[in-house]
Amino acid sequence: MSDPAIDIDRPQRPAPTSPLGAPPERGARGRGPWLVAAATTVTLLLLAGRYGYHRDELYFLLAGRHLDWGYVDQGPLVPALARLLDTIAPGNLVVLRTPSALLAGGAVLLVAAIARELGGGRGAQTLAAVLAALSGIVLASGHLLSTTTVDLLVWLAAVWCAVRLLRTGDSRWALGIGLTLGVGMLSKLLPALLAVGLIAGVLIAGPRRLLRDRWVLAAAGVAVLLAAPNLIWQAAHGFPQLGVAASISDGDSSYSGRVDAFTLQFVIISPYAVPIWIAGLVALLRRPAWGAYRAVGWAWLVVVGIVLIAGGKGYYDAPLLLVLTAAGVLVTFAWASRGSIRLRRGLLVLGVVPFLLPNIVLLLPVLPAERLPGFVVDVNYDAGETIGWPAFADSVAAVHRGLSPEERSRAVILTGNYGEVGAVARYGPARGLPRAYSGHNSMVDFGQPPADADVVIAVGWERPDPLNAWFETCTLAGRVDQRVEVDNEENGGPIHVCRGLRRPWAQIWDTEVRHAG
C-alpha cells in the first residue's frame, strides 16, 4: 500500500530481499490509536498539578538559569525547555509538564504506527496503543518533565523510520533516523546506544548493504552534526557524562545496578505485557514473513546486553520493549483468533484489570499525598521525590532563623544533591533563605560560596564525615520534616550548622565537594 500523504514513500525501491519471504503490507489506518493517545495526554494534564516538583524538575529549572551547550549529566534541550516554560508561566507545574504529556501521547501513536507497519489491522493498532498508554514507562515519564520522555519519543520515532526503511527498501528513511537521533542527543547521549543496537542488528541479520548506502551515511552525518554542540561541550570538559555513567554502574542511582536493571525489564511496561513482548521478540527473530525486520529484534538484544553488562539504568531500553510489544500484539491477535476464541479473548480482557490498571495508581498522583501508602514509593521511587519540597524549605528556614543576626548575614546553604539546591532556589526567597550551593553534577559549575562564607547550613549529608573534613565544627541543628510519612532522600534527614572553614572554598570545591551520580 502507498501513502499519498508522504512523498518519501514513492517511488519505492523493492523491499529488502529475504529468503524467508517479503514483509507483509501495512495495516489500514484507524482512529483508535488517536483516541487512546488523546486520552493519555488529557489524563496526564489533569493530574500534572498534583503533588509537586520532582527533584529533576527543580534541577532543570536551575540549570535553565545557566544555559549552556551541555551539562555534566545531560544536554541543553530540557533545561532550555524548562526555562522557556517557566518564563511563559512562572511556577506553573501544569505548563512545565505539558510537553511531557504531549510527548507521551506521541509515543502511544508511534507504538501503534509500528504495529501498523508490521501489518497489524485497526484492532491490533488500538491494542498496541492501549498497552503503550498503560505502560509504566509512558505513564511515569509522561507525568514529569524529564529527559526520559524525550528519549522515549526519539527512540520510537527512530525505530518507526527504521521499520519503514526495512519494509519499503527506501533508504531515504534513514534521514529520519539521523534527524531524530541527532535531536535526541541534545537531551542525552543515550540515542547513540540505539544507533549501536540498530547497526549491530543490521550487521547480524542484514541487510548489510545498508551500511554502505549513501542515504544511511548521510543520516549518520546529520545525527553527528545536530549533536555536535553537546558533543563538543562534552569533549571540552573531558566527557563528564562518562563519570556519571560510572557512578550509575556502581548502583549510586535509582533504577540502576544489574539486578534491578534485569528485574525492571519485566515490569517497566507491565507484567501483563511480558508474554506479549517475548512473543514479539521471537516473531521478529523467527517469523518468515518478518525476515526483513530481524535487525530490530537483534537491536534490543544488543542494547539490553550493553545495559546489563555496563550496569546502566533498567529503563534505558524500555522504548525497544514497546517496539517488541507492538510486534507481539500481532502474534497475540493471531493466537486469540484460533481454537477456543471466546476463552482466549476472555483471558486477554481479564488480565487488564489486575495487571494494567494498577500502573495508574502506582505511577500517577491519584492518591492523596498525605496518605500515600508505602508500597507506592517502594514501586515508584519518583513519587516520593515529588512530595514535600515546600516543607523541606521550611525545615531549613527554621534552622536559619535560629542563627544570630551576625551569622545569618554571612551564612550559606550547602546541599548534598541537586534537588535540594533546586528546592531552595524555588522556595527559599519567600522564606528569607540565603543562596544554596551544591557540588552535585552540574551544580558545582553554577558557582561556589563566597570566600567569607564560613557559616554553613548543611542539608542532605547523612554522614557528617565530609563536613568534619571541611569545617572546624558541625552541630546537628534540626531535621527535615516534610509533614507527611514518605520515604524519600530528604524526609527526616539531618540539618547541620557548620562553622569555620579549614581550607578556602577554592581549594576544596572542585576536588572534594564535587561529586556525580
Side-chain angles (χ1 to χ4, degrees), residues 55 194 205 281 379 408 458:
R55 67 162 64 246
L194 174 60
L281 173 63
V379 173
R408 284 201 299 269

Side-chain angles (χ1 to χ4, degrees), residues 275-285 290 324-325 327-329 331:
I276 296 176
W277 68 253
I278 290 177
L281 173 63
V282 173
L284 284 170
L285 296 178
W290 285 359
L324 299 184
T325 301
V329 164
V331 180

Side-chain angles (χ1 to χ4, degrees), residues 153-409:
L153 192 77
V154 165
W155 284 49
L156 289 173
V159 173
W160 178 73
C161 290
V163 172
R164 293 278 286 184
L165 187 160
L166 294 170
R167 182 180 65 79
T168 64
D170 190 341
S171 57
R172 288 176 292 176
W173 281 101
L175 292 176
I177 301 174
L179 178 64
T180 54
L181 294 183
V183 172
M185 284 193 286
L186 290 176
S187 174
K188 275 199 170 182
L189 298 182
L190 273 178
L193 180 60
L194 174 60
V196 170
L198 290 173
I199 292 171
V202 171
L203 279 171
I204 295 169
R208 296 185 184 89
R209 64 169 178 81
L210 288 176
L211 300 179
R212 302 186 302 272
D213 188 279
R214 58 173 180 159
W215 291 108
V216 174
L217 296 176
V222 169
V224 172
L225 183 63
L226 289 172
N230 187 25
L231 293 174
I232 293 171
W233 188 95
Q234 288 289 325
H237 292 78
F239 283 98
Q241 280 200 26
L242 296 179
V244 175
S247 178
I248 291 172
S249 179
D250 292 337
D252 189 21
S253 185
S254 59
Y255 310 117
S256 63
R258 292 173 180 82
V259 174
D260 287 347
F262 178 77
T263 303
L264 205 58
Q265 304 305 307
F266 301 98
V267 296
I268 191 66
I269 306 301
S270 165
Y272 176 91
V274 171
I276 296 176
W277 68 253
I278 290 177
L281 173 63
V282 173
L284 284 170
L285 296 178
R286 300 190 61 179
R287 178 178 278 193
W290 285 359
Y293 305 129
R294 286 189 174 172
V296 176
W298 278 105
W300 176 76
L301 289 171
V302 170
V303 168
V304 75
I306 293 173
V307 170
L308 294 177
I309 293 172
K313 294 192 177 186
Y315 59 77
Y316 286 171
D317 65 299
L320 286 178
L321 283 178
L322 284 175
V323 174
L324 299 184
T325 301
V329 164
L330 276 69
V331 180
T332 303
F333 254 61
W335 172 83
S337 301
R338 298 192 303 267
S340 303
I341 296 177
R342 290 185 178 179
L343 175 62
R344 296 187 177 195
R345 293 183 179 178
L347 289 174
L348 289 176
V349 174
L350 289 175
V352 170
V353 175
F355 290 111
L356 282 176
L357 295 184
N359 276 355
I360 296 176
V361 176
L362 294 172
L363 301 173
L364 295 180
V366 296
L367 300 176
E370 62 274 11
R371 295 193 299 275
L372 189 66
F375 69 83
V376 172
V377 178
D378 291 340
V379 173
N380 178 19
Y381 161 84
D382 287 327
E385 294 302 326
T386 61
I387 294 174
W389 288 113
F392 166 86
D394 288 337
S395 299
V396 177
V399 172
H400 182 251
R401 288 194 299 270
L403 300 177
S404 68
E406 191 274 333
E407 284 190 324
R408 284 201 299 269
S409 68

